[in-house]
Structures are given as C-alpha cells and as structure tokens.
Amino acid sequence: MIALVSTLMLIVFVQTTICFDSRNIVFTIVSQTEPYHSSVANRLKQDIEEQIFQLEERKPIIHVTHKDIPVPGAWTIIPLLRPLINKHKNSDVRWILFIEPHTAVRCENLIKALAAADRKKEIMWIGYPLRDSEPTIIHHFKFYEELEEEGGFVYPHFASGFAMRLELIDKLINQIESGERHLEADFSIDPAFELAQLVYGEKDSPGPLLTPDLSFCVISGDSCATYPRQFDICGSPMPEDSIFFAVKTWSGFHSTRARVVKKTWGKYVTHLQFFSDKADPSLPAINTGVPNTKTGHCEKTMTILKQAVKIVENLPKVKWIVLADDDTILGIQRLREILTCYRGGYDVTVIAERYGYGYGKKISGGKGYSYPTGGGGTALSVGAAVALSSCPCSTLDQPDDMALGACAARRNITITHSPLFHQARPQDYPREVLARDRPASFHRLSAPPGRVYSTWFQRDDLAIRGTGRDEL
C-alpha cells in the first residue's frame, strides 16, 4: 500500500511538472534602444530560444521591449503591464518573467522554479529578495517598519529577474486604472522597489508580498535559474585624454570639495576643468557668470555645457564630456572601460544613471520623460553635448538634470542607463546590488570621500599611470 501511494504521488508530481513548460512563460527583456544594449538583449533572446528548443523543440515567447512593446518609460515596468495583459490574457501564459539584457537565464532551472511556484496558488510573484537596512534617499526615505514581523519590506533584485503571475498583473492593472492603486511618487528611481510599493498597497487593501526564491541568484551557481552577468568591456579602455571632465562647484567649496576631487580621481585625468561663480586659477576654475543657487542649478549647468563645448573645439582628441558635481567620486579606469561600448565623438550618446518623471500618471500611453541624474556623473558624447547645450531653462534654479532630460525628450535624444553610475552613497544600496559589478561613481558622500575613493576606485586608477606612489 505504501509503495502504491508513493508511486501515485510521483505520478502526480511528474504530471504537474509536465503540465508546466515554456508555453506558460513570457520572457520580457527590458531593453534599451542604444546599439550596444540592443545587441546584448538580442544575444540573450537568441540564447533563450536555443535553450528552449533543446529542451522542448519549440519557440518560446520573448519580448524585447524596445522593439516589441515600445511604450514610454518601459524600464519602469508599470507601463508594460497593460500591453502584456492585452497580448497574453487569453492564452496559456501563466507567468511573466522580467529580466535585464545582462541577466543570465538557465531555462531548465527556471522552468522548474516556476513550475514549483505555480503549484502553490498563494505564491503570486517570486524573485531574489532585497531589503533596505535603513531609510535611503533613492527610495524616498521610506522604511516599512510595519512589515518587519513578516520579514520586512522586500523587493526583487531586478538584475536577477523576477516573475509575476499573469492574474496578479491583471488584477493590479485593473486596480490602477480604477484608482484603487496608485504610485506614491511622480519620480521613477528604482523600478523594482516602486513596483513592490504598488503591489503591496495600503494597510486596508494589502497585496501579496514577494516570495523569496534563491534560484534567482546574485552570483552564478549550478542550481541558479537566473543571475546577473557583469558588463562587457568592448575593447581597450578609452584613452583618458579623450575625456573632458567638467566639474560644477561653488566658491565656498573650492578649498574643500574641489580639493578632494583634485586629490582623488582628478589626479588621473588630463582634461579637468572646474566651473564656479568665481574664477580660481589654482584649481583651475572658470567663472560661469551665473550666481550660485542652493538648488536646481539649471542655468549654471547649461552654461557649463556651452563653455565645455567651446573648450573641446580646440581639443580634437576629446570624444566625451563628463559632467560631475564637486561631491561626485568617480572611478576613472572603470569609466574608461565602460565608454568602450558606446559611440562617442559626434554621435549623439548620453550615459548616466537614469531616473524618470511622470511615467506613472497614465498607465496606458502615459507621458513622462527620463533624465540623467547628475550627481553620479553624466557622460555625453561631444555630439550630444552640442545638441543639448542650447537647452533652455525655465528658471535659474530649475533642476538641471530634469531640464536636460525634458529637453532631450523633445529632441528625440535617448538617455542610456548604466547601473554602474550611482546618484547616492554606497550605503544607500543593498550589498547585493553593489556586488554585481565594479561601480563607476558615487555621490552625496557622508563618510570621508578620500576613504570612499580609496575603497572603491583607487586600486584600479593607479594602473592608469602605473605608479603606487600616490597617496590620499
């Protein structure tokens, strides 16, 4: 009798597993139009297709979003939800997997993980769980103490991918469109965190918490269904003298922040120019002629861009202009490596950590725009700098990065996102996020900036000039 029961249980398990296959999954690669990122997304699509064909001899359902679902703000996830429901509601699809182009996928393990989740009807979405150890600026200083008894506020590690039941997406989008659910802020900073906020909702109508699934890995392992891959280096590092660094400062910071820049990453660059409200030959700093403001800095930044463009006209080797704040800490060697994958010179390319504004106001066909958040540094090809240097400011203290983003949108210039640029401090990001790859920058430093630089960047930068003699 025991043997018979065991056999029946095995048959049920096998049948349940067989009933779930790639036809029940939509692979959604949240991609970018920029050629390098587009090519990485296409390679991932081909890899998934080859794996599924070997497993099941069929073609999987894969969307590369910038081609298949080109909605504004697709990277924030929420604008994708209605198109995905419209495409797949009356089909065999039961789960939507969201992944980045740099997410590695092992399809056999993924199907097993989703099949196991599918058998438990209470599980509505799964992924690798991230938690904030303290309130941070990138999450609007939200800290959900009321969820501590349930394991805390967890949100998926987007670089590892996450999956949602189609019925959860359908319910969520209906609640959004009826006004029962709404985004807490107009800004899009961390799409996975903001999606979790939306799903969890209010206390009186809570949604399902993310179910942790460690087969969505942060580093590669045999049992992993997914894991983040490091970013490619597309050739020899960009010559550092092909980059012009324009640093925005203020006379009150010449002896503090500006000096830190010169003592840290500024030692390893040829073209370093400070732009201030007063000239200072010792830095050197140019007087922009724009009075300092406590916030915004639009007029100052646009003036810096104009002046930088004029300077590089006499520097034919320069292909990139990097805008930075005087409290931006850069890794020069890492930046040189990153830029090998992009078109500089007079091609129009803007690379930064990307934020968004207004994408959640209207889910279907919503308007909004992306902007390069400036504190982590913005790399503009000379062509992009020329194109954006004539952008207007509505006021002297309009937020400069948002003004650049809005102007870029009007001129059909795409902001290319790199998660290696960081608008905030190292402690503002979960350790799993920073462990993914070597970063390029940090901002808003509270710890001694020299220590942050030596911890994250100095070792690599010393290789630029082949000396270990420099000390902070």
Side-chain angles (χ1 to χ4, degrees):
M1 177 62 73
I2 294 174
L4 177 60
V5 170
S6 298
T7 302
L8 290 172
M9 289 177 65
L10 178 61
I11 291 171
V12 169
F13 174 78
V14 170
Q15 286 179 338
T16 304
T17 304
I18 291 173
C19 287
F20 191 95
D21 57 36
S22 66
R23 289 172 295 187
N24 307 123
I25 308 168
V26 171
F27 297 83
T28 306
I29 304 172
V30 183
S31 55
Q32 302 189 70
T33 58
E34 192 281 328
Y36 162 67
H37 289 275
S38 176
S39 67
V40 175
N42 288 333
R43 289 200 300 271
L44 176 58
K45 179 182 179 181
Q46 292 170 6
D47 179 59
I48 293 170
E49 287 176 337
E50 290 170 2
Q51 289 187 58
I52 295 299
F53 187 81
Q54 290 178 359
L55 290 170
E56 301 176 5
E57 295 189 343
R58 64 169 57 92
K59 198 169 183 178
I61 307 167
I62 305 176
H63 296 309
V64 177
T65 58
H66 79 273
K67 293 179 179 178
D68 302 329
I69 315 176
V71 295
W75 63 271
T76 68
I77 305 300
I78 296 164
L80 292 171
L81 301 183
R82 171 52 69 192
L84 286 167
I85 288 295
N86 291 344
K87 287 175 179 290
H88 302 295
K89 186 171 183 179
N90 298 313
S91 69
D92 293 329
V93 171
R94 304 213 285 268
W95 290 84
I96 306 288
L97 175 74
F98 296 93
I99 49 178
E100 293 182 347
H102 280 87
T103 306
V105 181
R106 292 181 176 149
C107 292
E108 184 174 6
N109 291 349
L110 176 70
I111 291 171
K112 289 178 182 177
L114 289 177
D118 194 65
R119 291 193 295 273
K120 300 178 180 179
K121 297 303 181 183
E122 71 277 10
I123 295 179
M124 302 303 290
W125 62 318
I126 63 173
Y128 183 91
L130 295 177
R131 295 174 175 84
D132 291 342
S133 59
E134 62 182 47
T136 69
I137 189 172
I138 61 171
H139 294 153
H140 313 294
F141 293 109
K142 292 286 185 181
F143 196 62
Y144 293 85
E145 294 178 352
E146 65 269 21
L147 291 175
E148 284 303 307
E149 292 182 1
E150 300 177 62
F153 184 99
V154 295
Y155 54 99
H157 186 22
F158 195 1
S160 301
F162 61 95
M164 304 179 76
R165 282 190 192 267
L166 194 70
E167 63 189 86
L168 172 59
I169 295 175
D170 188 32
K171 180 179 180 180
L172 182 62
I173 198 67
N174 288 330
Q175 290 175 329
I176 294 169
E177 292 174 342
S178 68
E180 295 177 53
R181 283 275 195 277
H182 62 276
L183 290 172
E184 292 194 15
D186 292 331
F187 293 92
S188 300
I189 295 176
D190 182 342
F193 179 88
E194 288 143 14
L195 179 63
Q197 282 184 304
L198 193 64
V199 172
Y200 297 164
E202 307 294 336
K203 290 182 180 179
D204 56 350
S205 60
L209 294 180
L210 177 78
T211 298
D213 188 326
L214 298 187
S215 65
F216 290 74
C217 299
V218 292
I219 58 173
S220 176
D222 292 341
S223 62
C224 292
T226 65
Y227 61 91
R229 290 190 296 108
Q230 290 193 329
F231 287 79
D232 304 314
I233 298 175
C234 303
S236 298
M238 183 72 59
E240 67 83 17
D241 62 357
S242 68
I243 310 170
F244 179 88
F245 294 88
V247 180
K248 178 177 62 184
T249 189
W250 168 60
S251 55
F253 292 144
H254 286 191
S255 62
T256 54
R257 291 181 178 183
R259 296 294 174 188
V260 169
V261 169
K262 291 194 69 175
K263 288 173 62 179
T264 56
W265 60 268
K267 292 190 297 187
Y268 302 101
V269 303
T270 300
H271 305 298
L272 174 63
Q273 181 66 62
F274 293 87
F275 295 83
S276 184
D277 60 320
K278 291 182 180 179
D280 185 344
S282 68
L283 285 177
I286 293 175
N287 184 354
T288 61
V290 179
N292 190 60
T293 58
K294 291 185 178 180
T295 58
H297 309 296
C298 183
E299 191 66 36
K300 188 172 186 177
T301 297
M302 296 309 178
T303 300
I304 291 170
L305 202 51
K306 291 182 180 75
Q307 293 178 340
V309 165
K310 190 171 183 179
I311 292 170
V312 301
E313 287 176 355
N314 299 312
L315 299 171
K317 290 180 66 175
V318 169
K319 306 298 181 185
W320 294 91
I321 294 174
V322 173
L323 297 178
D325 291 348
D326 55 11
D327 58 347
T328 301
I329 295 293
L330 290 171
I332 302 304
Q333 178 68 6
R334 190 59 177 130
L335 179 64
R336 294 171 64 211
E337 294 169 349
I338 291 167
L339 293 181
T340 62
C341 294
Y342 301 98
R343 297 173 178 176
Y346 281 89
D347 283 318
V348 178
T349 308
V350 181
I351 306 162
E353 183 177 20
R354 174 188 54 197
Y355 283 4
Y357 178 75
Y359 286 129
K361 286 296 186 182
K362 187 180 178 184
I363 299 302
S364 179
K367 290 185 178 181
Y369 61 90
S370 299
Y371 61 94
T373 180
T378 301
L380 303 99
S381 65
V382 171
V386 170
L388 294 174
S389 62
S390 60
C391 290
C393 294
S394 59
T395 61
L396 190 72
D397 60 352
Q398 180 185 3
D400 51 355
D401 46 10
M402 295 183 70
L404 272 174
C407 182
R410 291 193 299 270
R411 298 179 184 188
N412 294 316
I413 297 173
T414 300
I415 307 301
T416 297
H417 174 64
S418 173
L420 304 179
F421 292 73
H422 297 92
Q423 167 72 4
R425 310 165 302 168
Q427 61 265 40
D428 289 318
Y429 301 88
R431 56 185 173 79
E432 296 95 334
V433 171
L434 295 183
R436 173 185 187 173
D437 209 340
R438 290 160 49 221
S441 67
F442 292 109
H443 182 230
R444 296 182 184 276
L445 303 176
S446 56
R451 185 187 307 163
V452 173
Y453 178 77
S454 63
T455 300
W456 291 94
F457 304 123
Q458 186 183 23
R459 182 176 179 180
D460 286 337
D461 284 358
L462 283 171
I464 297 174
R465 291 184 179 169
T467 175
R469 294 194 300 259
D470 293 320
E471 296 180 358
L472 300 180

